[in-house]
Every structure is written in C-alpha cells, then in structure tokens.
Amino acid sequence: MTPWLDCSPAALLLSLHVAGVVLVLFLVAGIALGYALSRPIPLRGLLDALVSVPLVFPPIAIGFFLLMLFGRHGAIGGPLHDWLGWELVFSFPALVLAAFIAGLPLVVKPIQSAIEGSARELIEVSYTLGKGRLATLFLVVIPVIRRHIAAGLILGVGRSFGEVGITLMLGGNILGSTETLSLAIYNQVLDGDFECATRLSLLLGLVSLTLFFWLGRLGRGR
Amino acid sequence: MNPLIADLAFSRPGFDLRLAIRTPATGITALIGPSGGGKTTLLRLLAGLERPQAGHIRHGERIWFDSARRIDLAPGRRRLGFLFQQAALFPHLSVAGNIAYGLPSGADREREVARWLARLQLAGFAARRPDSLSGGQRQRVALARALAPRPSVLLLDEPFSAVDPDLRQSLRLAFLELMLEQPTPTLLVTHDLDDVRQLADWVGVVIDGGLRQFGPMAEVFARPVDAEVARILGWPNLLQVDHWEGDVAHGGWGWVRVAARPEGPRAEVIAIRPDGLRLGDALGLEIEITRVIALADDRTLLGRLPDHTAIQIRLDSRTPTPRPGSRTRLGIPHAAIIPLPGRATDAAATHCNPCSL
C-alpha cells in the first residue's frame, strides 16, 4: 500500500500555495470590485459581466481563450514576452490567474449584494456625517459586511482549490511544476493509480467539507 | 443661519422632478405629499446622495451644487444632518460610537458624546449595541448622531414613522426641545399630518415632482391652492361642482352660494370646513346622518348628501346630537367654503410645475 504522503505531495503543497496567494488577491480585489459594482460607475454592466463570466461559461473554454490571450503570441502574452522576457502560461502565476478568475465571482457577488442591501443606507449615513469613500469603506462597509466577505472568500478559495479546466489550459499540467491537487487526481486516474486518486479525492473533499462547515458556522453567527 | 435655495431638474425612468424651493433661514419646513411625489428624492438631492441633471443648490453664500459651473460638493462637505426613516445606526458600533462617528477626534469628543447621551436620556446606554435598543431609543440615537456635528441644515425623512404611535409624541417633544436648544433650519418629509401641525412652521406640498404650494403652516392649511392639496392636508369635505350660476355652485349634492366666485374657469370643487356648519337650516343642503362619533367633548357627524357624497361635520357644544339615520338640512356659511380648481375625488389634478414661490 502506498503511504499517504507519496501520492503527489508537491501537488498538495502547490495547491495550498496557490490558495494562499489567491486568498490575498480575493481580499483586495473582491472588496474593491464588490464596492465598485454596488455603485453607479461607468461601464458597470460590462465589468459585472466580465466578473460573472466564469459562473456561466465552460471553464475549459475560458482557459482556452486565456491561453490565446496570454500565450507567447497572444495580445497580452506577446508584448509581455517581447518586452519583458516574461512568459505567464505554464507557470505559477498562470495557476494563480486561473484560480483567481475561477473563484472571483463567488467572492464579489456576496460582497456586492451585501453592500447593495444592508450596507447601502449605512454608507449614505456615513457620507452625510462627513466621511469620504475610503473612510466609509474601512469604518463602515468592511465591519458591517465582514461575514459576507468571509463567506465570499471561503467560497472563492474552495472553488479555486478544485479548479481544473482553466488551470489545465493555462498551467499546462506539468508534473512537479504546475500540477495542482485536482490535476494530480486526473493524472493518477490516467496512470491507473486509483488508490492514490481515491486518497487525493478524499483529501480534496475534506478541504471542501471543512470550508462548507466553516461557512455554515459563519451563517449561524449572523 | 441662512436659507437653503434650490432649483433642480432630476429625471429617472418614470419620474421627473422639476422643483424650485427657498426654505426659510430658521424653523422647521414640512414637506408633505403623496407617496412617489418626490419628497424623499428632493431631500436626497439636497444632501448630495443623488445628483440632479441640472440646476443649483445654495446655502447662504456656499454653493453646494451648480450644474453650469460643475460644482458638486460631496455630502460630507455640505455640513448637513440627515435622519433616515429607519434609524440606520451602525450595527457594529455602540450607542456612544454611533454618536461620536461624525465628530472630529480630540479631547472634546467624549465630552460631547456624554452631553448628547444626557440630553436624550440615553446616559445608561452608551455601551449598548443598536440591536438591543427599542425603536424609540434607536431614533433618539440617530437624532443625536445627526445633530452632534452641529449641521447647518437638518434633513429628516419620515423620522417618526417607524416608531410606535404612542412613542411618536414623546419623540416629537424631544425633537422640539433639541430645536429650542440648538436651532437648526430643518426640512422634514412626512406623511403624518400630526407631525406637520405639531412641528412645522412652514409647509411645502410636493406632488408629481413639483412644489404645488409653499407657505406658513397655518396659511397653507387654511388656503389650499387646489382640491388635491386640500385632500392631502386633510380637508374632509370636497364637493364636485357641475356648473356655476353667478356665485352659486351647483352639483348632484344641491347648491350653495359662495362669498365670491373665483375668477377663471378652474373652480370645479368647493372645499367645506367641518366646523361652523348649521344643522336644521331650512335653506341648507339635504343630509342623512350615517354615524355619530362622540369622543369626550368632541362630536363629529358623518353624513351623506343626496348624490351620496360623504360629508363630515364637527358639532359645536350647543347643537343637540342627531340620531344616525335621521334626515335634516345643513346650512353652510360663506366663510366655511373655499372654491378650488381640481377634482373632488381624482388624484390626477392639474398642477403648476415648477411653482414660483
């Protein structure tokens, strides 16, 4: 019987590393986008649609479009490669980008709806009491919707942790380099190692259940 | 203290506001009118929470908004206090934290908060969270929070409507006491005529995004400009006029002579005060008494005219109380009648928009 830690330990560490980085990105971008989308800003509809795309669009197709965009000859990847000598695809930043795009709507939407709902009047009160947008964000919005922020982060990280489609396309599924936990399960099945695939699936399920349990506790604490 | 002067144009799908107003430099101005007429929108525009498409807002020498000069001060720079219908207290802050929110940090802050807590009988509640307070206490905290930074103008959006009726009176008194101690020009949006009668010095009637009438409270109540305003101000008796013969108004309910028929073709309604009417006048209108409401010394009759128009009569102390179901005649003195344009029952009256004050 294969010891537990022999089943792609690097994949687990890589997934945790990606999750840690996207957690920080979600915290900043999720709150900023949720706050921005709750207000009548120019091109709000377009921004909202872009953020929401991963909820309805097939991940593998999103991954393909991103590969075309960020590849060595893509509209963004080309200049990055030619001017900075930097290649995004098949690298750690590509995994982070894939996880970030996949989980972002699940972070932004709860924050946006909380601001549009319970926090809207409080924001206006804060404005009339002399506070600007930034002060209101830190003194009112974040404290009032902190449970929604936490819930969004848990959902987003959970989604990122199990991401396959975009990661496969953008990260390349390179063993020991861009093989995340979810891709490791896929690879173990392809190799016929069902024992390891089962263990990794249980591990991934355990992480998901932990996040789900945590989310439930947050909801009850409301 | 300075008057607040605004001339605004604002549109959103299905609603247009075109309104000019100059509120007095002191006292409380009540804005009253049907729901959806633009009262709250006007407050939000004045506060800077919504942006007008055109116009200007000026408080004394300070320009808050001027579309032509591209001036649009943020709400916080207008130095105003805004009290929302629901108290909208910050749930993560204590009572003291809520009151302190708009105050500048410094040594005086705590002293000022303590003073406001004492002023509004909230001294024992400083550390409490808003969710542990009653509706009346929450509204007191919101009032203290709005007034503590000493705003130059106070805007109140139905501040007592979310409070139980038995608490409203004590809140009104608390508010009046605060206004005596710290006079602040105030705009009060309300649907409650008791708020208007007990608090307001001035009244503006806002209908369909325009200011239909504005003036001193007693004058507006006594002389509504049309039937719709009369209905909003609680005039109970509005009789539709079919035609005029000189100074005599005719309708399905009978006829009455007015002191002087107003000029122009628009006097289609006569408004009749419920006081000073004479029962048993042989030349009066036929009336059937449908109900007698006797509350202590106050006796009000509900009756029906020949065309089934309802009419309300307040009896004086000398007139005997008629029985429900009895028929009599009702004498209406000239002084009790005001001819008005508009329709007696239809809310869609004609109006000026905007009104010049």
Side-chain angles (χ1 to χ4, degrees):
Chain A
M1 189 171 155
T2 318
W4 270 82
L5 285 176
D6 284 359
C7 293
S8 305
L12 175 62
L13 291 176
L14 183 63
S15 283
L16 289 173
H17 191 185
V18 171
V21 175
V22 289
L23 181 67
V24 175
L25 293 177
F26 282 156
L27 192 63
V28 177
I31 293 172
L33 282 168
Y35 195 36
L37 287 172
S38 67
R39 302 179 52 246
I41 55 167
L43 302 176
R44 178 180 136 160
L46 179 67
L47 186 61
D48 200 5
L50 281 174
V51 169
S52 305
V53 156
L55 289 177
V56 292
F57 216 69
I60 200 81
I62 293 175
F64 174 71
F65 289 127
L66 288 173
L67 183 63
M68 293 292 100
L69 198 62
F70 287 99
R72 192 177 285 186
H73 304 293
I76 298 175
L80 281 178
H81 180 263
D82 295 344
W83 298 340
L84 303 174
W86 189 49
E87 199 159 359
L88 182 94
V89 293
F90 310 142
S91 66
F92 179 77
L95 298 181
V96 172
L97 181 65
F100 178 74
I101 287 171
L104 189 63
L106 296 174
V107 184
V108 172
K109 289 293 157 185
I111 293 173
Q112 182 186 349
S113 66
I115 295 173
E116 285 170 344
S118 57
R120 184 169 169 256
E121 205 168 52
L122 300 176
I123 291 170
E124 291 183 339
V125 172
S126 177
Y127 289 165
T128 63
L129 288 167
K131 300 290 190 280
R133 283 188 190 133
L134 203 60
T136 299
L137 176 67
F138 285 103
L139 295 173
V140 175
V141 177
I142 292 175
V144 167
I145 65 160
R146 62 189 186 281
R147 292 186 194 286
H148 296 87
I149 294 171
L153 289 176
I154 291 167
L155 285 171
V157 170
R159 169 76 182 86
S160 305
F161 210 70
E163 217 298 306
V164 173
I166 307 174
T167 310
L168 189 66
M169 281 289 178
L170 214 53
N173 192 14
I174 302 165
L175 290 178
S177 172
T178 60
E179 185 197 41
T180 59
L181 192 58
S182 301
L183 290 179
I185 296 169
Y186 175 73
N187 292 334
Q188 303 288 9
V189 172
L190 284 185
D191 291 346
D193 189 347
F194 284 80
E195 193 182 325
C196 265
T198 306
R199 286 177 185 180
L200 293 178
S201 296
L202 286 173
L203 188 62
L204 194 59
L206 188 67
V207 171
S208 301
L209 281 175
T210 306
L211 290 173
F212 185 73
F213 178 70
W214 194 10
L215 190 64
R217 284 192 58 162
L218 275 177
R220 281 194 297 276
R222 204 163 289 166
Chain B
M1 283 181 277
N2 293 303
L4 185 61
I5 300 164
D7 187 351
L8 300 169
F10 173 77
S11 293
R12 63 169 171 255
F15 176 75
D16 290 307
L17 181 137
R18 183 97 183 88
L19 193 147
I21 190 168
R22 179 193 170 97
T23 67
T26 57
I28 299 170
T29 301
L31 294 175
I32 192 165
S35 297
K39 306 182 297 295
T40 295
T41 303
L42 173 61
L43 280 201
R44 293 177 60 79
L45 291 167
L46 294 173
L49 298 173
E50 307 251 8
R51 190 178 188 165
Q53 273 86 23
H56 64 264
I57 306 169
R58 188 158 57 82
H59 182 241
E61 295 303 309
R62 289 193 79 205
I63 297 170
W64 287 2
F65 177 83
D66 190 332
S67 58
R69 293 160 67 183
R70 295 177 178 271
I71 297 172
D72 184 12
L73 288 192
R77 293 184 60 205
R78 299 186 185 201
R79 284 199 55 231
L80 52 87
F82 200 116
L83 191 57
F84 289 77
Q85 188 174 352
Q86 309 291 337
L89 298 180
F90 301 123
H92 60 294
L93 298 179
S94 65
V95 166
N98 268 279
I99 296 173
Y101 189 86
L103 294 171
S105 51
D108 286 345
R109 196 183 203 184
E110 279 186 32
R111 204 176 315 136
E112 192 68 3
V113 170
R115 200 168 68 83
W116 278 99
L117 287 167
R119 244 176 165 182
L120 284 159
Q121 288 119 43
L122 292 163
F125 297 86
R128 295 263 292 266
R129 294 280 166 158
D131 58 6
S132 69
L133 302 177
S134 70
Q137 288 165 340
R138 277 202 290 271
Q139 210 61 4
R140 279 170 194 265
V141 177
L143 194 54
R145 183 180 62 181
L147 280 168
R150 298 189 173 277
S152 56
V153 177
L154 189 60
L155 307 176
L156 311 179
D157 189 6
E158 300 199 47
F160 312 122
S161 64
V163 178
D164 290 341
D166 55 329
L167 284 173
R168 273 182 213 161
Q169 192 60 21
S170 67
L171 266 176
R172 286 190 197 112
L173 288 174
F175 176 65
L176 281 176
E177 283 171 16
L178 288 175
M179 287 296 101
L180 284 174
E181 288 176 37
Q182 184 180 312
T184 310
T186 299
L187 266 176
L188 163 72
V189 162
T190 183
H191 280 105
D192 190 337
L193 288 173
D194 285 339
D195 285 348
V196 182
R197 291 191 195 100
Q198 294 178 30
L199 299 175
D201 303 298
W202 303 79
V203 175
V205 184
V206 179
I207 300 171
D208 292 341
L211 189 64
R212 185 80 61 89
Q213 188 171 3
F214 188 88
M217 194 264 281
E219 193 177 298
V220 172
F221 267 90
R223 291 272 155 199
V225 293
D226 63 29
E228 195 173 5
V229 171
R231 204 165 27 244
I232 289 164
L233 296 173
W235 279 67
N237 304 320
L238 299 173
L239 273 55
Q240 192 68 44
V241 176
D242 292 339
H243 66 278
W244 289 87
E245 285 177 7
D247 55 2
V248 177
H250 291 264
W253 36 268
W255 59 270
V256 293
R257 188 181 298 278
V258 301
R261 184 188 169 185
E263 290 181 9
R266 294 175 61 214
E268 298 150 337
V269 170
I270 54 169
I272 300 173
R273 290 195 179 87
D275 307 278
L277 309 181
R278 296 184 304 266
L279 282 184
D281 185 326
L283 295 174
L285 299 175
E286 284 180 46
I287 177 174
E288 180 188 349
I289 307 300
T290 52
R291 185 168 165 76
V292 178
I293 303 166
L295 297 170
D297 294 336
D298 184 51
R299 290 172 304 154
T300 301
L301 302 183
L302 303 184
R304 201 159 53 189
L305 299 173
D307 67 344
H308 290 253
T309 300
I311 193 156
Q312 200 181 101
I313 306 148
R314 202 164 297 130
L315 291 184
D316 59 39
S317 57
R318 290 161 302 176
T319 308
T321 309
R323 280 180 297 106
S326 63
R327 288 173 183 276
T328 181
R329 283 188 174 267
L330 181 68
I332 303 173
H334 293 161
I337 303 174
I338 307 179
L340 296 172
R343 291 197 57 78
T345 52
D346 187 0
T350 55
H351 62 278
C352 55
N353 186 3
C355 279
S356 55
L357 299 176

